[in-house]
Amino acid sequence: MDVPELLEAASLLVPEEAATENDITVRDIWDYLVHDEWEVALGLLEELGDARSLPLAFWEQLAEAAEQLRLERSATWCHWRCSELRNGVIRADLTLRPTAEAPRTTPISGAGVLRPMWDIGHLSPTGGRAVSIAGLWVENMPMLEPGGRATVRLVPLTPSHWTHVQPGQQITMHEDRAVAGTAVILEGCLPATTMPAR
């Protein structure tokens, strides 16, 4: 499919009553599509998708459209949202340790590049600390400096490891044996297939 077809198909997956913070609706997006303003339409569809739960196909179509438009950051974000739908997402308030206290001396990319290890309370068979891996996206910031603080989105590599994580719980981030940062869980949404039976 070409870009207009992808954007049209994605827009059909958005409920008619959905609106952005500025009261832009799917009907408004159709006007942008009619006038070949694809980049604007893509951005508004992303905004609508961020405000509500939409199916995987929505984000896949937006990702493909963004790739065809060569909008790297949008494509990366849409692929990230696909990962969240497949593996779940944990939002947390992360504080990185300052350079004097941790090995990292450079900022981390905010765009989902880093996949650090997290101590979320599991123990290895020998009783030592066991870590789980989750990708990290920094909300509303391109980079997070050492010593900085931000809200982050974590996509677990193995969602079943994260079923016990609860809001208010503190977890630690590791890039090696040293603690690189501390995070407090804000909320979590894991795929239904990974949730424990009750």
Side-chain angles (χ1 to χ4, degrees):
M1 285 196 275
D2 62 16
V3 171
E5 291 171 330
L6 289 163
L7 295 176
E8 287 172 15
S11 70
L12 292 173
L13 296 172
V14 179
E16 249 185 81
E17 71 278 2
T20 67
E21 288 182 2
N22 298 324
D23 293 325
I24 303 280
T25 66
V26 175
R27 288 185 182 184
D28 298 311
I29 292 169
W30 278 89
D31 288 339
Y32 287 110
L33 291 173
V34 166
H35 293 97
D36 296 334
E37 295 184 45
W38 304 330
E39 193 171 331
V40 174
L42 173 66
L44 292 171
L45 284 167
E46 284 179 31
E47 196 175 329
L48 283 170
D50 289 341
R52 59 182 48 239
S53 179
L54 292 174
L56 180 62
F58 172 84
W59 291 105
E60 289 173 335
Q61 290 161 348
L62 290 189
E64 189 174 335
E67 286 173 355
Q68 289 186 30
L69 290 169
R70 292 189 167 87
L71 299 172
E72 187 177 326
R73 179 129 176 124
S74 281
T76 301
W77 174 242
C78 294
H79 283 298
W80 178 268
R81 290 304 305 267
C82 290
S83 296
E84 288 184 354
L85 288 168
R86 288 185 194 104
N87 291 19
V89 60
I90 309 288
R91 291 182 70 244
D93 181 15
L94 172 65
T95 303
L96 292 181
R97 295 184 78 180
T99 53
E101 299 176 16
R104 176 173 282 281
T105 58
T106 59
I108 60 172
S109 168
V113 176
L114 191 64
R115 284 168 176 60
M117 299 170 287
W118 298 89
D119 181 350
I120 57 175
H122 289 296
L123 297 177
S124 71
T126 60
R129 177 182 68 211
V131 292
S132 296
I133 297 171
L136 183 146
W137 186 285
V138 181
E139 291 186 359
N140 306 314
M141 296 172 70
M143 300 279 197
L144 183 58
E145 299 283 339
R149 180 178 173 185
T151 300
V152 296
R153 303 172 78 90
L154 308 177
V155 170
L157 182 64
T158 309
S160 61
H161 290 186
W162 294 74
T163 56
H164 70 287
V165 173
Q166 298 292 323
Q169 181 178 344
Q170 183 173 302
I171 62 175
T172 55
M173 180 179 122
H174 300 263
E175 293 183 84
D176 56 21
R177 290 187 180 273
V179 173
T182 304
V184 176
I185 303 299
L186 301 173
E187 63 181 311
C189 180
L190 295 172
T193 56
T194 63
M195 298 306 288
R198 294 189 185 220

